[in-house]
Amino acid sequence: MRLGTVTAALVAATVAFSALPAAAAPLVAAPPVIDVADVNAHLQQLQNFASSNGGNRATGTAGHTATTTYLQQKLQAAGFTVTAQTCTTCSGGSAKNIIADWPGGDTANTYMFGAHSDGVSAGPGINDDGSGTATLLEAALQLAAANPTMTNHVRFGWWAGEEQGLIGSKFYVNSLTTAQKSAIKAYGTFDMVASTNGGYFVTGTDAIAVKLREYFTSINVPTETSTECCSDDGSFRNAGIPSSINSTGASFTKTSAQVTKWGGTAGQPYDPCYHRACDTYPSNINSTSLGRWANAELYAVWALTTGSTPANDFSVSLAPGTATVTPGSSTTATVNTATTSGSAQTVTLSSSGAPAGVSVSFSPASVTSGGSSTMTVATTTAAAPGSYTITVTGAGSASHSASYALTVAGTGACTSPGQKLGNPGFETATAPWTASSGVIAANTGEGSPRSGTRSAWLNGYGSTRTETLSQSVTPPAGCSSYTLSFYLKISTAETTTTTQYDKLTVQAGSTTLQVFSNLNAGAYTLRSYNLAAFAGQTVTIKFTGVEDSSLKTSFVIDDTALTVT
């Protein structure tokens, strides 16, 4: 699919291998169908590499070297231009990123698909991330075998050092010029796509994510976004490249609602063998998920890079897509757009369906596809209680819409005002909070409380770690103000002034309120958010701290409140 020359930015510390493809075949109307048995054959090879080399494929080991050699040889034989980029910052200083370009297509419109080729030292790393490695490899091989006419360029990447803190993908992105970064219109990473108790998570609004959702819709498989973090999409996103992470889930637990969607066992991790010795083939692979993801990946590659020159097009989505307000109050949502084909274009936003007493505005009123706008829904005291559907339309070369479900609550008195969070200062053990082990405690030092004797201290270990803190609450309807507040202290050993290595994500339900990082280090500061959109609903307030492999960052929370008046 991609060009047949090595990108200039990859010349340093690289070795390039290429082979010429056969003459282009006629355009194939639809992508080939991937047989999951072919993907499983790659996984068996990865298991063999681990079994023969100390039981793992961690970066810097013989097992990882065997993996990257296998990828290089398979891709080169299929006709890809393959660059083995030496990641000098990875463990051992000689691990290879494998970058494969398929010849042809407009290199100014490049779509890139990636996975990490390494695993942890605890085991073979078959689901994490042998599954992403194998599905992308087979998608690339099937593309080469079909040899369709290319309109846009496709590039595949397999990264070293992901388990040490996204080191390989950061190294690659840092090697690109500004123009080369701009040429990559979307990047999708595929990390753990065969979890035995998993789901289907497509997290992002880039063009690749749009096509993946389109594929899963076509086979009647629902998708969700995920709050699990992080993978190599972060390296690209931090460089301004539209990106998505796509997976079946890692250590988070499956809910009853997700069991209804996808089957499996509620209350258990998506992957019970995450970062463990039992992440082996075939016992830790869900072949149904594996096959679906392999075909979804090829569908996205095919739709974005083959055939006749696509018309400029875009998509529109809303986050959140529902809200409850009381008359006289307002709420906001984010209107996200993405370029799904062709070039970016101006999208003008409008709305319809708002009842009397309800107004909708956008800031800005028009965006370049790939950008976002804040939608404000304001009500007067005359707004009639009821449920309404507001249609948000984006107009450009075509028109696309998304629906917003608005509930205007009754105007009864605020019968239950006050502070609604339980144990807001963490002074009475843990309940009703749910937290990772050791987060809520009588912390000292960096984790010392703002008041009282206890606090919630997430991260601060200086090693790869994810910790969470959450509580579900139901703010009463009919009140005029709903304010979530807390004090946050951030201390870090990171020295960068530009890169978010360690992050704290604050969410209300599926809505991300704010993301903090090592760049926000400082003393206790009051943070507050309007939660009027969740009046009368049960919502989970959640803090997720994610720390990379080195240089610690501590996120300390105290004196929380959800104040309703």
Side-chain angles (χ1 to χ4, degrees):
M1 240 186 201
R2 266 308 183 182
L3 79 175
T5 57
V6 180
T7 309
L10 302 179
V11 171
T14 64
V15 181
F17 307 85
S18 65
L20 294 176
L27 174 66
V28 180
V33 175
I34 292 177
D35 186 340
V36 71
D38 294 326
V39 184
N40 280 323
H42 299 313
L43 289 177
Q44 182 63 69
Q45 288 295 322
L46 300 186
Q47 178 66 55
N48 293 345
F49 297 149
S51 299
S52 301
N53 293 284
N56 69 76
R57 299 182 305 104
T59 295
T61 67
H64 183 252
T65 299
T67 299
T68 55
T69 300
Y70 178 76
L71 291 167
Q72 172 189 311
Q73 292 174 345
K74 286 285 187 181
L75 293 159
Q76 183 184 356
F80 282 85
T81 294
V82 181
T83 302
Q85 181 189 45
T86 301
C87 175
T88 58
T89 56
C90 291
S91 178
S94 60
K96 298 295 190 293
N97 288 327
I98 301 298
I99 300 102
D101 286 273
W102 182 249
D106 180 5
T107 57
N109 288 304
T110 292
Y111 292 90
M112 192 164 185
F113 297 74
H116 66 89
S117 56
D118 68 330
V120 295
S121 59
I126 294 301
N127 185 37
D128 184 16
D129 184 28
S131 59
T133 292
T135 52
L136 273 189
L137 174 60
E138 190 57 30
L141 297 180
Q142 290 294 329
L143 172 74
N147 194 19
T149 299
M150 305 301 296
T151 54
N152 292 320
H153 194 70
V154 66
R155 179 177 302 146
F156 297 89
W158 287 267
W159 313 117
E162 191 272 353
E163 297 291 4
Q164 286 77 49
L166 319 184
I167 297 174
S169 57
K170 290 177 185 176
F171 185 87
Y172 170 75
V173 172
N174 288 339
S175 76
L176 300 177
T177 65
T178 299
Q180 289 165 342
K181 292 174 186 175
S182 297
I184 302 174
K185 301 308 179 186
Y187 171 78
T189 208
F190 298 86
D191 195 345
M192 303 179 65
V193 296
S195 300
T196 54
N197 192 41
Y200 293 83
F201 299 103
V202 179
T203 307
T205 59
D206 61 287
I208 291 173
V210 169
K211 291 303 177 185
L212 292 171
R213 292 189 183 97
E214 189 175 283
Y215 176 80
F216 284 120
T217 297
S218 76
I219 62 170
N220 297 314
V221 173
T223 61
E224 292 183 5
T225 59
S226 174
T227 59
E228 284 193 289
C229 178
C230 296
S231 192
D232 295 298
D233 56 300
S235 300
F236 288 80
R237 187 177 298 107
N238 289 341
I241 298 169
S243 303
S244 57
I245 178 172
N246 309 287
S247 73
T248 51
S251 61
F252 282 20
T253 55
K254 179 173 274 189
T255 67
S256 297
Q258 290 171 335
V259 170
T260 301
K261 281 184 181 180
W262 302 314
T265 305
Q268 296 299 312
Y270 300 124
D271 181 359
C273 288
Y274 174 62
H275 283 187
R276 296 174 60 194
C278 57
D279 186 7
T280 59
Y281 179 81
S283 62
N284 199 45
I285 288 295
N286 182 327
S287 285
T288 298
S289 297
L290 189 74
R292 286 172 173 173
W293 275 103
N295 281 286
E297 292 160 20
L298 183 55
Y299 175 86
V301 170
W302 206 270
L304 292 168
T305 62
T306 72
S308 58
T309 302
N312 296 338
D313 206 355
F314 64 94
S315 64
V316 176
S317 62
L318 294 167
T322 64
T324 299
V325 296
T326 55
S329 65
S330 63
T331 187
T332 61
T334 300
V335 183
N336 294 304
T337 66
T339 301
T340 57
S341 64
S343 301
Q345 60 180 292
T346 299
V347 178
T348 302
L349 301 172
S350 62
S351 68
S352 60
V358 177
S359 63
V360 180
S361 61
F362 302 93
S363 180
S366 63
V367 298
T368 300
S369 56
S372 62
S373 174
T374 298
M375 178 179 73
T376 300
V377 180
T379 65
T380 68
T381 55
S387 297
Y388 306 94
T389 298
I390 296 174
T391 300
V392 176
T393 300
S397 60
S399 291
H400 296 287
S401 300
S403 295
Y404 186 74
L406 177 70
T407 299
V408 179
T411 57
C414 182
T415 57
S416 181
Q419 198 289 110
K420 299 302 174 183
L421 289 180
N423 191 14
F426 311 108
E427 296 300 316
T428 56
T430 299
W433 294 97
T434 299
S436 299
S437 177
V439 166
I440 297 176
N443 297 307
T444 58
E446 289 182 7
S448 59
R450 174 181 175 270
S451 64
T453 60
R454 296 166 66 84
S455 63
W457 183 1
L458 289 84
N459 305 121
Y461 292 88
S463 59
T464 303
R465 195 177 186 96
T466 297
E467 294 187 320
T468 61
L469 170 73
S470 64
Q471 181 177 151
S472 295
V473 61
T474 306
C479 301
S480 59
S481 174
Y482 300 81
T483 303
L484 170 68
S485 63
F486 56 89
Y487 283 86
L488 174 63
K489 178 174 67 174
I490 303 174
S491 56
T492 184
E494 300 282 3
T495 58
T496 178
T497 59
T498 59
T499 305
Q500 297 179 332
Y501 288 123
D502 310 313
K503 298 179 182 180
L504 177 74
T505 301
V506 185
Q507 292 176 292
S510 61
T511 300
T512 297
L513 302 175
Q514 192 165 353
V515 178
F516 299 94
S517 75
N518 48 282
L519 301 181
N520 305 117
Y524 275 114
T525 303
L526 179 63
R527 311 288 182 174
S528 60
Y529 308 88
N530 180 7
L531 296 194
F534 300 96
Q537 307 173 48
T538 298
V539 61
T540 299
I541 308 301
K542 186 172 184 179
F543 303 85
T544 303
V546 178
E547 196 170 14
D548 71 0
S549 60
S550 63
L551 297 179
K552 66 180 180 177
T553 299
S554 295
F555 302 99
V556 188
I557 300 162
D558 202 4
D559 297 331
T560 68
L562 175 53
T563 306
V564 177
T565 59

